[in-house]
Amino acid sequence: MNLVGRILKEQSSNFHLILRLARYDMKGKYQLHYLGAVWQFLTPVIQVLLYWLVFGIGIRGGAPVHGVPFFAWLMVGLIPWFFISPSILQGSNSVYARVSLVSKMKFPVSILPTVTIISNSFQLIVMLVVLAFIFIVYGINPGLHILQLPYYLVSLFVFLFAVTLLGSTISTIVRDFQQALQAIMRMMVYLLPILWDQSRLPHVFQTILKLNPIYYLIEGFRNSFLGYAWFYDDWIYTLYFWVVTLLILLVGSVLHIKFRKKFIDYL
């Protein structure tokens, strides 16, 4: 646990550096494009429309999900996913992509995944504002359940940090890991109940889906925005999520501390 504390201390003591690098990263992504940062929102908008046409109009025929318009239900699931997927992929590649630039200076390499997460947070914030506007248009009132959204946001950031810390270490040592991760993330958008309703699945299959911590986060956003349940209603599943997340953080911290002085040797 001392290693976890060491990693977390590096994040807190370099917080201003993280924010500064995240701002530069966000500006640098699209500076050579004519539309600039607009692509950060144009791409997910195109994806949302495609998923809505295929799954909402094509497959469901426009039918609502538990009384909620499919488009609103779909957006609640896609918004965290549009943050989770690129953060995991980019965060897992962050050390490999930049370690050659910082290897000759005293630089806390563990903050590189965090920089990626913070950089992608701007898109999350804007899309949450857009979601609020959509809910106003549809007349959807989340009720008091929206008060638990900060909890799920904290859960989301902690999980992403744990996964990207571990992923960035493995990806630097074994480059095949990054390719496998990209394939897994492409499949996961269809395997998880982001685009479809899992309520009609047999209980055993729903239990299998819950083994993926991302399921907890996606459903948590729907519980918050659509007023389905409180996070403590299924306290066993909440406990499972935190045990898995903290275990990933522990393993990631141990491996990162062990190998980070040798990262440059794997380039």
Side-chain angles (χ1 to χ4, degrees):
M1 293 304 292
N2 289 335
L3 295 180
V4 175
R6 183 176 171 184
I7 292 293
L8 295 179
K9 185 177 179 180
E10 290 179 351
Q11 311 308 306
S12 60
S13 60
N14 293 281
F15 185 68
H16 292 293
L17 177 60
I18 291 172
L19 293 180
R20 190 159 61 248
L21 291 176
R23 185 169 63 251
Y24 292 150
D25 181 64
M26 189 170 58
K27 290 181 179 179
K29 281 181 181 179
Y30 301 100
Q31 65 179 359
L32 297 179
H33 297 75
Y34 287 113
L35 296 180
V38 174
W39 281 110
Q40 197 171 10
F41 310 103
L42 187 59
T43 300
V45 166
I46 295 173
Q47 289 180 282
V48 168
L49 292 177
L50 178 62
Y51 291 143
W52 176 60
L53 288 174
V54 174
F55 290 90
I57 304 301
I59 296 178
R60 296 185 60 88
V65 180
H66 306 300
V68 177
F70 181 81
F71 185 75
W73 181 89
L74 176 67
M75 283 293 294
V76 178
L78 282 177
I79 285 176
W81 175 254
F82 284 153
F83 178 56
I84 292 171
S85 180
S87 293
I88 289 179
L89 292 176
Q90 297 167 17
S92 295
N93 196 50
S94 59
V95 171
Y96 180 84
R98 301 176 183 176
V99 72
S100 60
L101 300 176
V102 300
S103 59
K104 297 181 180 180
M105 63 181 75
K106 188 178 180 181
F107 185 89
V109 183
S110 67
I111 73 171
L112 292 177
T114 309
V115 170
T116 300
I117 296 171
I118 298 299
S119 175
N120 290 332
S121 298
F122 178 68
Q123 180 184 15
L124 175 65
I125 294 172
V126 173
M127 295 196 72
L128 286 175
V129 173
V130 172
L131 180 62
F133 176 75
I134 292 174
F135 271 43
I136 293 174
V137 172
Y138 279 109
I140 301 175
N141 182 11
L144 292 178
H145 288 84
I146 196 64
L147 296 177
Q148 67 184 349
L149 181 61
Y151 161 77
Y152 281 110
L153 288 173
V154 171
S155 303
L156 176 60
F157 278 88
V158 174
F159 173 77
L160 287 178
F161 174 70
V163 170
T164 53
L165 181 67
L166 176 60
S168 61
T169 302
I170 299 176
S171 181
T172 303
I173 300 172
V174 184
R175 286 306 294 165
D176 290 344
F177 175 80
Q178 188 68 23
Q179 298 298 323
L181 186 61
Q182 291 178 3
I184 292 172
M185 297 306 291
R186 280 196 293 266
M187 292 188 295
M188 203 172 293
V189 68
Y190 300 104
L191 294 177
L192 289 173
I194 300 171
L195 309 173
W196 48 275
D197 178 27
Q198 85 284 5
S199 60
R200 295 184 179 180
L201 287 178
H203 180 71
V204 62
F205 290 112
Q206 294 188 38
T207 302
I208 293 174
L209 287 175
K210 287 185 175 182
L211 294 177
N212 189 334
I214 297 178
Y215 176 100
Y216 178 84
L217 297 169
I218 299 296
E219 288 302 296
F221 268 71
R222 287 203 168 114
N223 290 339
S224 300
F225 280 99
L226 302 177
Y228 288 158
W230 294 99
F231 71 92
Y232 53 76
D233 287 342
D234 191 352
W235 66 269
I236 295 179
Y237 189 39
T238 295
L239 179 62
Y240 167 81
F241 169 81
W242 283 109
V243 168
V244 171
T245 299
L246 295 178
L247 180 61
I248 295 173
L249 178 59
L250 175 61
V251 175
S253 299
V254 171
L255 292 180
H256 181 86
I257 296 295
K258 180 179 181 180
F259 288 102
R260 66 178 175 183
K261 291 184 178 180
K262 303 177 182 178
F263 281 158
I264 192 64
D265 298 332
Y266 292 99
L267 298 183

